[in-house]
Amino acid sequence: MISIFHLLHCLYFVIKQDASANASSGHFTRENWSNKRDYVLSMIGYAVGLGNVWRFPYLTYKNGGGAFLIPYFTMLLVTGIPLFFLESSFGQFCSQGPINIWRFIFSPLFPGVGIGMVLVTLLISIYYNVIIGYSLYYMFASMQSPLPWTSCPNTTTTTTCSDKPFVFCNVSGILTQSVQTCNPSNIIKMDVQSPSEYYWDHVALERSGGLDQTGPVVWHLALCLLLSTFLAGATLIKGIKSSGKVVYFTATFPYVVIFILLIRGVTLEGARDGIEFYIGTQSNLTKLAEAQVWKDAATQIFFSLSIGLGGLMALSSYNNFHNNVFTDTIIVSVTNAATSIFAGFAIFSIMGHMAHIYKLPVAEVVKEGFGLAFIAYPGALTKLPVSPLWSVLFFFMILTIGLDSLFAEIEVVLTSLQDAFPRVLKPRRALLTIATCTFIYLLGLPCVTRAGIYWVTLIDSFIASWVVLFLVLLEVVGVSYIYGLDRFIDDIEMMIGEHSPRFWLWWRLCWFLFTPCILLVILAWSLSTFTAPTYGDIRFPSWGLSLGWCMLFFVLIWLPIAAIYHLKQSKGSLINRMRSKSAPSKDWHPFLDMHRGERYPKNERVQGVDIPNEVDERSSHCL
């Protein structure tokens, strides 16, 4: 009890100190990263997410193995890096979050894009927090020997749980177990749950039969969700000064674990078969002729770099103005792609060992998403000596990868709110962080009921999908065709210095032609092939699907609302209003007066905020 009171007293002191320190200064400065390493590691931690570990390896195997790397790196060059460069440049130029960026650069027509990005990020942070809660639970559950999902529980209610599928022989309509002498055409295999799948469904999730069977809160998951929220809040409570130091561990430790798992994996019997299926001689170059392969590559690049969620703008907004954002873009993008490939070797080497033990093809043991992280891989780890050690390491890796992304997602919300209401919220950073994390935790509670996994799937299917593609399409069209590439390039050169026209030729082609065309094709394809989401064989009720469409509608409705509101504030005909409102507002400029040069007017105040003198920023340019 004394420790709880002590914790509350310390928390109160942090909030009070945070508010008084800013209020006494007489102005509200914008933070900068302590050094460039903080920023680069934060961006790597944000970009390298769970999809790098549990989706990319599966896509590579599914789409021709090593051949998949050709469309993957092509799409990285044509869409991923150009969009990453664009968003990072925006944030660094005006030192604002996504809402203010889109309010200032296209004052009347596009502020809804920024609002939509923040809302998407908020919804994604809810279920991302839940996934981290799952990882915490499995990490704690791994601290016992043997692992609790090593074998099926010894009860009479688990007849569908088995290490191997049930095989019967159909003899004149009667099922017998005499399969040795059975005609192959009469052999029937009954699907059963593996011990790890049974544990996931019945112990970890306590999963109900559908979305309409909510059931009570699963309290062990609710407590893990609370711990996840606390870790995020404690890291972000003092702003980027604290989170920038935490990422030194959370952004680098996953690589240590992946390397350890890889070394252990390649020494196992059957590992070569798994790697061959992943990226070896099983590569199928004929897959390159299939349009689906190129679509999968573009989609994976797009979402793995976290483009269109506002995080790149928010994190880069704390950069020094003359930071070389182009170099950072290349470093983070290449590191993200290399991490995906590297993680795939660790995953498939152990999957190959599992296939060898069960004497099954690798294709029958490999899964993606939740199936890989919480069923297939944990099941494979039970076959290793000292399995609790490897299990703890694996789930701790998932935890740190997830936390990095969650930090940035919550920071997007905090930055946008502080930029919108600087005088009220900037002096109260700690209180705002606690309120935001509490809100995210409360919204996450339905996702830790017995129907929680269905809610997670619903949010993921409707929000982290084509709606993000649509927002980014508006983004690149707005920059290329409304704001103007010449003006945008001039803005970038104010930060990184002038470059030759040949340097900008590739970026012009991508922003003006290649990227928007590819986005349009993927968006149209995603819409035309959209099917109602399911969890396994379980379909969602109609009211659940309607709720999913309502979430999507809530994100997109701000686009017309914001545009109509701003147009009504103008005078003249509709065409004249749109013409006058299709130019950047007077508030679009570098944050500090000293950086505006001759292209932007100098003022003593920015949005009613006094500007302090900036310290020398060139001392921290290099890593």
Side-chain angles (χ1 to χ4, degrees), residues 161-391:
C161 178
S162 175
D163 288 329
K164 296 181 180 180
F166 294 150
V167 181
F168 299 96
C169 182
N170 184 4
V171 180
S172 302
I174 301 175
L175 298 181
T176 69
Q177 294 184 340
S178 303
V179 295
Q180 290 81 6
T181 58
C182 185
N183 189 323
S185 61
N186 294 329
I187 292 179
I188 298 176
K189 288 186 177 181
M190 295 184 62
D191 291 332
V192 294
Q193 287 187 313
S194 66
S196 58
E197 186 176 3
Y198 180 88
Y199 186 87
W200 166 249
D201 279 340
H202 298 280
V203 180
L205 298 181
E206 298 182 12
R207 180 167 64 89
S208 66
L211 186 64
D212 49 357
Q213 301 175 23
T214 303
V217 169
V218 181
W219 287 108
H220 58 257
L221 292 181
L223 291 174
C224 290
L225 181 67
L226 181 62
L227 178 57
S228 171
T229 309
F230 175 79
L231 292 174
T235 301
L236 297 170
I237 198 166
K238 296 297 289 183
I240 60 171
K241 299 298 183 184
S242 58
S243 64
K245 302 307 177 187
V246 173
V247 295
Y248 277 75
F249 175 75
T250 57
T252 57
F253 182 76
Y255 293 95
V256 176
V257 177
I258 292 173
F259 181 74
I260 293 173
L261 291 174
L262 174 61
I263 296 299
R264 184 67 186 97
V266 296
T267 62
L268 297 172
E269 199 171 3
R272 182 174 180 177
D273 295 335
I275 294 175
E276 291 286 353
F277 264 84
Y278 170 49
I279 209 167
T281 57
Q282 299 292 331
S283 297
N284 183 5
L285 289 174
T286 61
K287 283 278 189 178
L288 298 180
E290 299 178 13
Q292 181 67 39
V293 174
W294 293 84
K295 188 246 185 186
D296 285 345
T299 305
Q300 176 63 19
I301 281 290
F302 186 81
F303 287 107
S304 68
L305 286 173
S306 302
I307 295 167
L309 302 178
L312 304 182
M313 297 180 187
L315 295 179
S316 61
S317 71
Y318 297 107
N319 273 341
N320 293 319
F321 185 77
H322 291 295
N323 171 65
N324 193 333
V325 67
F326 173 73
T327 303
D328 299 340
T329 296
I330 301 300
I331 291 173
V332 176
S333 300
V334 173
T335 301
N336 177 75
T339 302
S340 298
I341 298 172
F342 183 42
F345 284 102
I347 297 295
F348 268 81
S349 60
I350 293 183
M351 289 292 99
H353 176 63
M354 184 179 182
H356 172 77
I357 290 177
Y358 286 124
K359 299 188 179 342
L360 293 172
V362 177
E364 293 189 20
V365 299
V366 173
K367 299 183 180 181
E368 65 170 327
F370 294 116
L372 174 63
F374 298 107
I375 298 176
Y377 206 80
L381 293 177
T382 62
K383 308 304 177 183
L384 303 182
V386 201
S387 55
L389 171 63
W390 305 114
S391 186

Side-chain angles (χ1 to χ4, degrees), residues 458 462 541-553:
L458 192 70
F462 279 96
S542 57
W543 64 266
L545 297 176
S546 299
L547 188 58
W549 286 109
C550 286
M551 287 190 290
L552 192 149
F553 177 79

Side-chain angles (χ1 to χ4, degrees), residues 447-514:
C447 297
V448 291
T449 61
R450 291 187 175 179
I453 192 64
Y454 305 119
W455 288 107
V456 171
T457 304
L458 192 70
I459 298 173
D460 182 49
S461 300
F462 279 96
I463 297 301
S465 58
W466 63 264
V467 63
V468 182
L469 297 172
F470 180 68
L471 292 175
V472 177
L473 180 62
L474 290 179
E475 176 182 68
V476 72
V477 168
V479 172
S480 300
Y481 297 95
I482 300 178
Y483 184 68
L485 287 180
D486 289 338
R487 183 185 294 173
F488 181 51
I489 290 172
D490 288 341
D491 290 341
I492 298 176
E493 289 186 336
M494 288 177 65
M495 298 184 290
I496 67 174
E498 294 186 4
H499 287 70
S500 67
R502 286 182 297 177
F503 173 83
W504 293 112
L505 179 60
W506 172 253
W507 307 108
R508 287 178 180 273
L509 286 173
C510 289
W511 291 328
F512 189 82
L513 181 62
F514 297 153

Side-chain angles (χ1 to χ4, degrees), residues 99-164:
I99 291 180
N100 272 7
I101 285 176
W102 288 102
R103 185 160 62 94
F104 294 157
I105 192 170
F106 305 119
S107 55
L109 299 180
F110 284 85
V113 174
I115 298 173
M117 287 179 173
V118 173
L119 290 176
V120 167
T121 299
L122 176 63
L123 291 169
I124 289 177
S125 68
I126 293 169
Y127 79 78
Y128 227 86
N129 196 24
V130 173
I131 294 173
I132 296 171
Y134 294 160
S135 304
L136 281 167
Y137 172 76
Y138 266 81
M139 186 181 72
F140 294 141
S142 299
M143 298 177 183
Q144 53 185 304
S145 182
L147 292 172
W149 52 85
T150 300
S151 59
C152 296
N154 188 22
T155 65
T156 57
T157 61
T158 58
T159 55
T160 59
C161 178
S162 175
D163 288 329
K164 296 181 180 180

Side-chain angles (χ1 to χ4, degrees), residues 27-67:
H27 55 250
F28 304 109
T29 63
R30 187 170 187 84
E31 287 183 290
N32 284 119
W33 297 102
S34 299
N35 54 66
K36 190 168 183 175
R37 287 186 297 274
D38 293 6
Y39 167 67
V40 172
L41 288 174
S42 295
M43 289 291 264
I44 290 174
Y46 177 47
V48 176
L50 298 175
N52 296 72
V53 175
W54 71 21
R55 180 161 173 77
F56 173 82
Y58 176 81
L59 286 179
T60 304
Y61 148 73
K62 169 189 168 187
N63 291 308

